[in-house]
Amino acid sequence: MGVNLAPIALREESTLEALRDRVLAVDGNAELYQFLALIRQPDGTPLRDSRGNVTSHLVGLLYRSTRLVSEHGARLVFVFDGKPPRLKREVLAGRRRLRERYEREYREARARGDLAEAYSKAVMTSRLTPSMTEDAKRLLALLGIPFVQAPGEGEAQAAHMASWGDAWAVGSKDFDSLLFGAPRLVRFVTFTGRERLPSKGISRPLVPEIIHAGRMLDKLGISREQLVDLAILMGTDFNPGIRGIGPKTALNLLKKHGRLEDLPAEVGRKVTERYEEIRDVFLRPEVTDDYGISFEEPDEEGVYRFLCEERDFSRQRVKTAVQRLKAPPRKR
């Protein structure tokens, strides 16, 4: 879910064309979860093949990535999560309990025939299993699109790659990569123009935006270390925040007092006791330099064998997607 820095982030509207030929290290797990949430039947059930394998994530990965590459010259490198930090395991357990609640509410809505309510609950029940992630990696390899397996948090690895110049920016909807040290974050890299929010029954316009970390920190007048402390006050994937403290209040506190240890007692005593451990997760994350990035030609027959013969995709639709990749990127 990540920390919401939107109210204080220095965001610059952009276009997909401005990202042409830029290498983006994409948060792979977040992308797959988005596809699992949104690509569903009208009653909320995910797409499946005749053997019961979920295919919603493969549908999204195939059609979005091939269009971004062929129509907009995107150079995507997907980065997948490894083992979560110890601190995150408690959060993940809480998310499982919440998902179980939504699954119960989804079944109840289906039973009474309320498909709209069922769909809104279903999008909150997505499960990304190891086998589904392996299917996604297999498809990317067949398409010639590179991916990297992170030892820990995928966003940390993506930020590491961007900081070393192996990617121009991190591509993610979340702001966490800025905490991990990404020099740039690109949000809303999509061609739809709108984002559906099924749980709220609405959609909103989407415009690609770029956040340059250095410029943002200069404008805010804080360091990256203070940005991490700011996030800890608000709440991260590793700790709940302090009630009543949002990004603007947290920013003012850090600008006035410098760091968590120097906050007024009435605030400091509410800070999680694990703040130093959380700082380490963001400032000294587990990453690897053992990766390679190579953009290859698609294995057309391999894609057909996997998607059409094993996962029941329409051959004509798959052919359209693959042919997009084989054609020269469109010039705009």
Side-chain angles (χ1 to χ4, degrees):
M1 295 173 65
V3 61
N4 181 20
L5 298 176
I8 61 172
L10 181 62
R11 297 176 286 170
E12 302 175 9
E13 287 193 4
S14 186
T15 64
L16 292 177
E17 287 310 301
L19 302 174
R20 180 174 291 275
D21 295 327
R22 303 281 198 185
V23 176
L24 301 181
V26 178
D27 182 350
N29 286 67
E31 287 288 291
L32 297 186
Y33 269 114
Q34 183 182 41
F35 297 144
L36 289 169
L38 298 180
I39 302 176
R40 291 175 175 267
Q41 304 282 6
D43 67 351
T45 56
L47 304 185
R48 298 179 183 271
D49 64 19
S50 59
R51 301 167 190 82
N53 298 300
V54 173
T55 59
S56 294
H57 60 309
L58 299 179
V59 171
L61 194 60
L62 175 69
Y63 298 121
R64 178 183 288 182
S65 61
T66 56
R67 283 192 63 183
L68 288 172
V69 170
S70 64
E71 297 179 13
H72 301 285
R75 293 170 65 79
L76 309 176
V77 181
F78 286 79
V79 185
F80 292 99
D81 287 343
K83 186 177 180 180
R86 183 177 60 84
L87 283 171
K88 195 170 184 178
R89 294 170 199 170
E90 296 177 10
V91 176
L92 294 176
R95 290 179 185 174
R96 282 193 293 271
R97 290 191 292 271
L98 186 61
R99 186 169 60 234
E100 289 168 358
R101 191 194 89 191
Y102 282 118
E103 287 172 346
R104 182 180 66 254
E105 293 174 353
Y106 163 68
R107 290 191 297 270
E108 293 170 352
R110 280 194 68 186
R112 62 177 181 267
D114 189 344
L115 296 187
E117 179 71 7
Y119 191 97
S120 71
K121 299 299 181 182
V123 299
M124 308 299 290
T125 66
S126 300
R127 296 174 184 266
L128 180 61
T129 66
S131 63
M132 292 160 67
T133 303
E134 290 306 309
D135 274 357
K137 293 176 183 177
R138 181 180 174 189
L139 177 57
L140 288 170
L142 291 170
L143 293 173
I145 298 174
F147 65 86
V148 172
Q149 176 60 58
E153 292 285 273
E155 283 185 286
Q157 180 65 37
H160 177 71
M161 293 162 61
S163 67
W164 279 97
D166 290 328
W168 184 75
V170 174
S172 176
K173 206 168 78 170
D174 293 340
F175 291 95
D176 283 17
S177 60
L178 298 171
L179 306 178
F180 285 118
R184 300 175 195 85
L185 168 64
V186 180
R187 305 177 73 226
F188 308 130
V189 182
T190 180
F191 48 78
T192 59
R194 298 193 70 82
E195 178 185 34
R196 293 167 57 204
L197 302 172
S199 62
K200 298 181 179 179
I202 61 174
S203 66
R204 63 182 178 186
L206 283 183
V207 178
E209 60 185 33
I210 301 173
I211 300 172
H212 295 269
R215 297 177 194 173
M216 184 185 85
L217 293 174
D218 286 346
K219 177 177 180 292
L220 296 177
I222 59 174
S223 65
R224 176 184 160 208
E225 289 76 12
Q226 288 176 303
L227 184 69
V228 171
D229 279 3
L230 180 152
I232 293 171
L233 288 175
M234 292 173 54
T236 70
D237 279 347
F238 312 107
N239 73 290
I242 299 175
R243 183 182 295 275
I245 294 186
K248 294 180 181 179
T249 299
L251 176 62
N252 290 333
L253 285 169
L254 268 301
K255 290 183 72 171
K256 182 176 181 180
H257 300 285
R259 58 180 188 157
L260 296 178
E261 289 88 341
D262 297 328
L263 292 175
E266 64 270 19
V267 178
R269 64 171 173 263
K270 299 177 183 177
V271 175
T272 174
E273 295 179 352
R274 295 179 169 181
Y275 69 88
E276 290 185 288
E277 194 175 353
I278 298 167
R279 277 177 176 161
D280 278 347
V281 170
F282 287 116
L283 298 176
R284 286 170 283 278
E286 184 181 8
V287 295
T288 182
D289 293 321
D290 185 17
Y291 60 85
I293 298 174
S294 179
F295 299 90
E296 306 290 347
E297 289 295 312
D299 177 357
E300 186 170 0
E301 290 306 315
V303 175
Y304 293 147
R305 283 193 299 272
F306 177 38
L307 293 184
C308 303
E309 297 176 18
E310 297 182 35
R311 295 293 184 267
D312 301 334
F313 278 55
S314 159
R315 187 178 180 90
Q316 185 54 52
R317 294 190 67 186
V318 172
K319 182 177 181 180
T320 299
V322 173
Q323 291 301 315
R324 280 200 294 257
L325 278 184
K326 296 181 71 174
R330 296 182 189 176
K331 301 295 184 182
R332 299 278 175 132

